[in-house]
Amino acid sequence: MNENTLESVQQCLNQFDVTEEQLQQIQAGILGDMERALGRQAGSSPSVQMLPTYVRSTPRGTEQGDFLVLELGASGATLRVLWVTLTGISGPRKEPVSQEFTIPTEITLGTGQQLFDFAAGCLVQFLDQLQVGSQPIQLGFNFSFPCHQTGLNQSTLISWTKGFRCSGVEGQDVVQLLREAIQRQGAYNIEVVAVVNDTVGAMMSCDPSPQACEVGLVVDTGTNACYMEEVRHVAELKEDRGRICVNVQWGSFGDGGALEPVQTPFDLQLDQESLHPGTQRFEKMVGGLYLGELVRLVLIHLAGQGALFGGVTSPALLTHGSVHVQHVMEIEDPSHGRARAQAMLQELGLTPSAQDCAQVQRVCGAVSSRAARLCAAALTAVLARVRSNPERSPLGVSVATGGRLYKQHPRFSALLQQTVRLLAPDADVTFVPSEDGGGRGVAVVTAVASRLALQRRQLEETLAPFRLHSQQLKAVQAQMRESMVRGLRGESSSIRMLPTYVCAMPDGTERGDFLALDLGGTNFRVLWVKVGSRSEEGIKIINRVFSLPESVTQGTGQQLFDHIVDCIVDFQKENNLSGQTLPLSFTFSFPCKQLGLDQGILLNWTKGFKASDCEGQDVVSLLRAAIRRRQGVELNVVAIVNDTVGTMMSCGYEDPHCEVGLIVGTGTNACYMEELGNVCAVPGDRGRMCINMEWGAFGDDGLALQEFYTPFDLSVDQASINPGKQRCRAREGGARRAGREDSDRRGWARGTSGCGWVGRGADGEGRAEAVANLGCPSYSLSARARYEKLISGMYLGEIVRQVLLHLTHLRVLFGGQEFPSLQTKDIIKTKFLSEIESDLERWQVRAILEKLDLQADCEDALLVREVCQAVSRRAAQLCGAGVAAVVEKIRENRGLDRLSVTVGVDGTLYKLHPHFSEQVKDAVRELAPQCCVRFLLSEDGSGKGAALVSAVACRLAGAAGP
Ligand code: BG6
Ligand code: GLC
Ligand code: GLC
């Protein structure tokens, strides 16, 4: 061989030299692309993909169990199946059983179905030999292509790389495709639990001691790396704490042109002739699939120049793919390389001289050295990111390495490591070979995924009773309807259907100044309501919220009413109203048996109230007695009004179709305009009267809702201040059954002449008798189904807390850690549900939990949100079933095919929860299709409506004359 020849070869190979400066530029280029891809910066188009893998921690070493692993795509057209047994920390290590299958080219280039059927067939063949029987098998799928993962077992193929191009797979979930193929085989009970990239398999297969590997590097037919990134840097995930493994997909680096300075004409030609031209430019300079081809193109070029083989080529040398990476690795073998070169060239139909063989060795060396050095540059970019992580191990960084080129090439790993030291001299890097070709790591991820899947099943089982279907809701609606009718007839019913003596809606001509009290919701308020002409002044309200300490709501009745009068006096002073005796309306949001507009006997406390000596008493009398005790104060109590009624009246002022009042706040209840003829408790059959349903007690008779009660609801009930209720509590010695109730009803209703106006009420005699006979059905003590406790804000937080305790106990939540704050009753308020269910990022949800001293990770945060959603959705649906029963009753009362009606609504849960109101509406639409229901929010609270009740009474009294 002459000097010229050597010179030509050298000149050609010089093109494969990459200077240190160029390597540094590539390192910086990859790092910049990685950071841009992580940050999803607008307008930038990084060429690496940075795909989150949903692997959130490196192995703990505790994982156990038998797993089936399927590897597809890592080693060219070879598919591998493994049976991996993980034995935990103390168990003896077990070698995996594995088998390789060659995938025919017509399959790698065929249809997706062919490919997945082939894979499933290999699984069956493997398992048949293993004789695993019919046990359920958990499979981890090592799929080495760029995928967009949305979970550990959901992964959409972005694009094929390397030697694969099966139709109908890009854009599809490969886990699903594999599942379907396994089902088509129908032979084994295999569940595909996790899908991972080969780099992740490599990273996860390393022993966690002395330090966990935080980087996975693969150089096989393709090349790529993954590493543990701080999740707050992964913009796509919108999380703030913890780490996640990111698949860099560095094979595509340079697709935007960044590699042009180091590309040779051979690289360009190789790309043009490849299966996926224009893509994976970096991989095409490094991956084993391409090194043989680059060597082949160089040999053809040198032969063409007369520098090799005496200027002769052969058909085989001219054939695409005839030189493999295996050849390159063998030719570079220090002891037998020369002989291997000769053998390969002869196999290609050439007659090489000894010098030819030596030159071919140089060519292989140049191509593979460049590959190792480029790969090192990319790795130092990844190391730079890992080292910027403040939580990284103080021992330096361990890199798990895998892939045949890395492992089997005689110089590749040494050269790569040497170049890493050159480019990152102060990085303390340890290279750790991955075990079982990454199969073990796939099994580890599968173990984690299967634990998570078990937790998901436990969550689903826990929440299943909260998920109601249409038939169940229809049954609730029907039962509600039945209870309404029985209540109206005075028969035994858990819904009391209390007459309110409100029979007319405001017509806009009402005028005057009124005082109002609003007691029983979240706030206790005193109001001054000025009712002017609707078209001009409208209604003006001045109000003040007063605190009601628990010592008052749960002390003696006298303390409660004295406190109320004190607040009124303060309010009067503040507003220069002292000395004026304005008509006073009292919104009192508890079940009262009304005997007229200004007399209401408290049947029983509900929600958070428990003041003594009030049940069975006329609330207006208690208030008047407190006024007398205060001396020097004159107040004229005109009306006592339930909050539902106040809400209906208040909304009725805006919308004359408003004939239903609904509260979903601390408690829940509804009222509506019923035909007087249907109200047995009040004589007369002309006109309508508003009925306070007191639906919170629905189901207390044990005839409805029983099936919906979960153990969590029972616990909440047991821990409430009125366990076994919302239900009608029998007065001592006065409990009576429905049949006897009739006489009471007639008693107090006697003297009431129909309902032509707002609440003239019963005469004195009737009232006295009624107060004495507060009988109502007594239900069996086992009755535990209370509608209000399933729906209203006072209880939902507690239900959620009970579910969270259970899930913690199952170790589904908080890693099983039992936080003391979760043991605290009422720690979860309705506001919490509203916040957590609004459109927040995971970290924001976590921050809310942290305010309650619950240390949650992002997964916990999502689970807590799911629990809240299930509990509040059930509440909304049950409430919707109630509203549907009410509007359907109104429609049928009036014999209409279609009813248009407005529901006035108030209550913090309904108003503040992000989805509750829509879910109520959805349920009503479905359950009452013949009703067109408008929901109108009450803006000023029910005090305004209560004042309007008085105003209408005054108007009608005025019209009736003195
Ligand atoms: C208020 C009304 O707006 O809502 C009260 O003025 C009513 O009368 C209350 O009781 C119900 O909601 P919450 O959430 O305060 O119980
Ligand atoms: C290709 C694939 C990538 C894989 C790598 C190594 O680059 O796109 O997902 O990790 O090859 O097999
Ligand atoms: C409770 C009360 C009821 C009230 C409702 C809403 O259910 O018993 O009277 O309307 O809460 O506040």
Side-chain angles (χ1 to χ4, degrees):
M1 184 168 283
N2 61 33
E3 279 297 310
N4 279 351
T5 305
L6 281 178
E7 184 57 31
S8 309
V9 174
Q10 188 54 50
Q11 266 183 15
C12 173
L13 295 186
N14 282 348
Q15 299 177 80
F16 287 88
D17 279 348
V18 185
T19 64
E20 189 179 331
E21 199 188 337
Q22 284 174 323
L23 288 174
Q24 276 160 354
Q25 278 163 4
I26 289 169
Q27 174 196 7
I30 295 183
L31 185 59
D33 266 12
M34 286 170 69
E35 284 167 356
R36 276 194 295 278
L38 283 175
R40 297 214 147 175
Q41 288 164 14
S44 77
S45 47
S47 59
V48 299
Q49 297 176 55
M50 305 301 278
L51 304 166
T53 64
Y54 292 87
V55 167
R56 291 178 185 272
S57 62
T58 50
R60 297 186 185 144
T62 50
E63 298 80 9
Q64 290 188 25
D66 290 321
F67 302 95
L68 182 65
V69 172
L70 168 67
E71 276 180 16
L72 182 67
S75 300
T78 310
L79 177 153
R80 208 160 69 113
V81 185
L82 296 92
W83 183 263
V84 183
T85 304
L86 300 177
T87 50
I89 293 173
S90 50
R93 205 187 137 72
K94 274 188 88 175
E95 284 306 311
V97 183
S98 71
Q99 190 178 349
E100 285 195 358
F101 299 83
T102 302
I103 315 173
T105 316
E106 62 268 23
I107 286 187
T108 55
L109 301 179
T111 67
Q113 181 157 343
Q114 283 169 329
L115 175 70
F116 285 95
D117 280 344
F118 177 81
C122 296
L123 290 175
V124 171
Q125 210 178 315
F126 175 79
L127 291 171
D128 283 350
Q129 284 165 26
L130 214 63
Q131 300 190 332
V132 290
S134 58
Q135 57 169 299
I137 299 168
Q138 299 182 316
L139 179 139
F141 185 18
N142 185 347
F143 186 71
S144 304
F145 298 94
C147 286
H148 188 263
Q149 283 191 236
T150 45
L152 276 175
N153 65 353
Q154 280 159 345
S155 189
T156 306
L157 175 64
I158 298 170
S159 54
W160 287 115
T161 54
K162 303 178 280 194
F164 283 76
R165 197 174 61 191
C166 303
S167 58
V169 186
E170 289 178 347
Q172 301 294 313
D173 178 6
V174 292
V175 173
Q176 194 49 31
L177 295 178
L178 179 61
R179 276 192 191 128
E180 286 163 13
I182 291 172
Q183 268 161 22
R184 280 195 291 277
Q185 294 283 339
Y188 287 95
N189 180 5
I190 302 171
E191 176 50 24
V192 187
V193 182
V195 59
V196 295
N197 187 263
D198 51 355
T199 54
V200 182
M203 186 186 84
M204 296 297 282
S205 63
C206 289
D207 199 327
S209 58
Q211 78 189 52
C213 286
E214 298 182 356
V215 180
L217 165 71
V218 169
V219 198
D220 209 306
T221 46
T223 183
N224 191 13
C226 69
Y227 73 103
M228 296 303 292
E229 175 61 87
E230 280 182 84
V231 85
R232 68 196 158 93
H233 294 141
V234 187
E236 174 185 347
L237 295 178
K238 303 190 173 83
E239 294 176 24
D240 70 333
R241 192 178 297 170
R243 298 194 303 162
I244 196 161
C245 176
V246 172
N247 170 8
V248 179
Q249 281 297 141
W250 71 26
S252 50
F253 176 67
D255 287 1
L259 286 169
E260 271 162 23
V262 291
Q263 269 160 347
T264 66
F266 308 108
D267 295 304
L268 302 180
Q269 187 182 350
L270 175 138
D271 175 56
Q272 281 310 307
E273 293 169 4
S274 69
L275 208 52
H276 310 283
T279 66
Q280 301 289 104
R281 305 304 288 261
F282 183 73
E283 181 160 86
K284 286 171 183 164
M285 299 171 85
V286 177
L289 183 64
Y290 308 99
L291 295 197
E293 187 60 9
L294 280 173
V295 167
R296 188 184 72 87
L297 295 176
V298 175
L299 298 188
I300 295 171
H301 170 77
L302 291 174
Q305 287 197 327
L308 281 183
F309 318 131
V312 175
T313 61
S314 67
L317 182 65
L318 295 176
T319 305
H320 183 267
S322 57
V323 179
H324 301 279
V325 68
Q326 194 63 32
H327 294 130
V328 177
M329 294 195 291
E330 290 173 8
I331 290 171
E332 287 192 65
D333 182 281
S335 14
H336 311 290
R338 193 69 61 85
R340 289 301 305 139
Q342 183 165 15
M344 178 200 79
L345 295 169
Q346 282 170 351
E347 278 164 28
L348 290 176
L350 298 162
T351 333
S353 65
Q355 284 82 355
D356 284 336
C357 294
Q359 296 315 309
V360 170
Q361 274 192 303
R362 282 179 70 203
V363 172
C364 291
V367 170
S368 60
S369 299
R370 183 186 70 163
R373 285 161 63 79
L374 287 175
C375 196
L379 183 62
T380 52
V382 172
L383 292 173
R385 275 225 58 87
V386 175
R387 291 167 70 218
S388 70
N389 175 356
E391 287 168 39
R392 86 194 157 93
S393 155
L395 298 175
V397 186
S398 287
V399 177
T401 57
R404 292 184 197 190
L405 184 57
Y406 186 90
K407 283 188 175 165
Q408 295 172 10
H409 189 284
R411 295 182 311 115
F412 193 96
S413 59
L415 190 52
L416 181 138
Q417 293 181 21
Q418 188 187 323
T419 314
V420 167
R421 278 193 294 277
L422 177 77
L423 295 176
D426 53 350
D428 179 8
V429 192
T430 313
F431 291 86
V432 186
S434 66
E435 295 184 43
D436 311 328
R440 187 181 160 76
V442 180
V444 169
V445 178
T446 310
V448 172
S450 78
R451 177 168 49 80
L452 295 177
L454 171 69
Q455 290 178 351
R456 162 95 352 229
R457 277 199 299 280
Q458 288 174 317
L459 177 76
E460 282 308 320
E461 275 164 25
T462 305
L463 296 184
F466 290 93
R467 308 203 197 277
L468 306 182
H469 51 75
S470 283
Q471 286 312 318
Q472 289 173 302
L473 295 175
K474 281 186 185 141
V476 173
Q477 179 185 4
Q479 287 163 348
M480 168 80 80
R481 170 64 184 263
E482 222 180 290
S483 300
M484 288 168 74
V485 171
R486 278 205 309 271
L488 286 171
R489 285 196 196 127
E491 294 166 7
S492 167
S493 168
S494 58
I495 305 187
R496 295 192 185 93
M497 306 298 282
L498 302 166
T500 65
Y501 295 89
V502 170
C503 302
M505 302 300 284
D507 67 2
T509 61
E510 297 77 13
R511 299 282 183 281
D513 281 20
F514 302 86
L515 274 181
L517 303 178
D518 188 351
L519 178 79
T522 312
N523 295 312
F524 166 52
R525 269 189 277 200
V526 184
L527 307 91
W528 175 14
V529 184
K530 295 162 85 68
V531 182
S533 95
R534 179 150 45 189
S535 51
E536 287 154 33
E537 308 96 314
I539 295 179
K540 293 204 177 75
I541 297 174
I542 293 172
N543 81 101
R544 178 173 157 198
V545 172
F546 289 88
S547 69
L548 265 190
E550 201 171 275
S551 57
V552 170
T553 57
Q554 298 187 15
T556 66
Q558 191 164 330
Q559 283 169 331
L560 172 65
F561 284 91
D562 283 349
H563 181 84
I564 293 172
V565 172
D566 288 348
C567 296
I568 303 173
V569 170
D570 280 1
F571 181 81
Q572 283 183 317
K573 278 188 196 144
E574 268 169 32
N575 294 289
N576 298 325
L577 292 171
S578 308
Q580 294 186 41
T581 315
L582 301 180
L584 184 141
S585 305
F586 188 5
T587 303
F588 184 71
S589 310
F590 301 94
C592 285
K593 191 164 196 169
Q594 278 190 250
L595 310 173
L597 206 52
D598 65 346
Q599 193 176 24
I601 317 298
L602 174 63
L603 296 174
N604 57 274
W605 286 118
T606 54
K607 303 179 280 194
F609 282 69
K610 202 169 69 174
S612 60
D613 308 321
C614 297
E615 291 179 350
Q617 304 293 315
D618 170 21
V619 180
V620 177
S621 303
L622 293 178
L623 182 62
R624 284 182 181 141
I627 295 168
R628 278 197 298 278
R629 279 197 296 278
R630 175 76 200 222
Q631 289 180 0
V633 179
E634 291 281 324
L635 291 170
N636 173 22
V637 186
V638 177
I640 177 165
V641 177
N642 187 265
D643 53 356
T644 52
V645 182
T647 300
M648 183 186 82
M649 290 299 271
S650 171
C651 293
Y653 191 74
E654 317 294 330
D655 175 349
H657 293 296
C658 183
E659 295 186 86
V660 182
L662 171 67
I663 299 281
V664 200
T666 318
T668 182
N669 190 15
C671 70
Y672 72 102
M673 297 306 287
E674 178 56 90
E675 306 304 311
L676 195 55
N678 292 337
V679 187
C680 296
V682 181
D685 50 15
R686 279 180 297 117
R688 295 176 183 144
M689 182 182 271
C690 178
I691 298 294
N692 167 15
M693 293 174 66
E694 284 298 328
W695 79 9
F698 175 47
D700 284 3
D701 51 4
L703 297 177
L705 295 179
Q706 293 294 71
E707 65 180 288
F708 302 114
Y709 249 54
T710 66
F712 312 110
D713 300 311
L714 292 171
S715 304
V716 171
D717 177 38
Q718 282 308 313
S720 68
I721 61 168
N722 54 355
K725 298 201 312 175
Q726 252 258 43
R727 70 193 183 96
C728 178
R729 197 162 76 202
R731 202 168 56 98
E732 255 173 48
R736 34 201 85 204
R737 293 242 149 243
R740 291 181 58 193
E741 212 192 357
D742 250 14
S743 60
D744 304 336
R745 233 181 29 242
R746 283 195 209 100
W748 59 261
R750 202 188 311 145
T752 310
S753 52
C755 192
W757 54 294
V758 180
R760 193 177 291 158
D763 62 15
E765 189 198 342
R767 294 177 185 197
E769 193 181 335
V771 176
N773 294 320
L774 263 180
C776 61
S778 81
Y779 305 120
S780 107
L781 277 176
S782 66
R784 286 287 184 271
R786 286 146 302 270
Y787 195 56
E788 179 159 274
K789 284 177 178 163
L790 298 175
I791 294 178
S792 74
M794 182 156 177
Y795 307 100
L796 293 197
E798 272 301 278
I799 302 174
V800 166
R801 190 176 71 86
Q802 292 296 334
V803 178
L804 298 187
L805 280 172
H806 173 72
L807 292 173
T808 309
H809 186 66
L810 290 178
R811 305 181 69 84
V812 171
L813 258 186
F814 308 132
Q817 201 180 334
E818 294 184 357
F819 296 112
S821 61
L822 202 54
Q823 307 287 344
T824 315
K825 185 167 178 278
D826 291 328
I827 188 155
I828 299 181
K829 311 277 183 229
T830 319
K831 191 169 135 245
F832 170 89
L833 271 81
S834 299
E835 279 181 7
I836 217 166
E837 289 188 55
S838 51
D839 193 17
L840 297 182
E841 306 296 355
R842 290 179 203 207
W843 67 268
Q844 291 170 308
V845 176
R846 236 201 45 237
I848 298 172
L849 291 170
E850 256 166 29
K851 277 194 242 150
L852 302 181
D853 285 332
L854 300 173
Q855 305 302 321
D857 62 23
C858 286
E859 294 302 311
D860 289 331
L862 290 188
L863 294 187
V864 172
R865 173 143 69 185
E866 267 188 73
V867 172
C868 293
Q869 283 165 342
V871 170
S872 63
R873 187 181 165 81
R874 177 186 69 162
Q877 290 180 320
L878 286 172
C879 178
V883 174
V886 172
V887 293
E888 269 296 291
K889 174 111 182 37
I890 299 177
R891 186 184 69 77
E892 286 173 31
N893 281 345
R894 300 181 191 177
L896 297 171
D897 284 340
R898 283 200 68 75
L899 171 77
S900 283
V901 67
T902 297
V903 176
V905 202
D906 208 341
T908 38
L909 181 58
Y910 189 94
K911 280 182 165 173
L912 301 184
H913 190 282
H915 310 296
F916 194 93
S917 56
E918 279 313 310
Q919 289 166 346
V920 171
K921 288 176 197 167
D922 286 348
V924 174
R925 256 193 302 274
E926 185 183 337
L927 299 170
Q930 287 168 271
C931 299
C932 173
V933 184
R934 174 180 183 225
F935 289 82
L936 182 60
L937 288 182
S938 155
E939 295 301 343
D940 303 305
S942 54
K944 170 177 157 186
L948 282 168
V949 170
S950 299
V952 173
C954 295
R955 165 170 64 82
L956 294 172

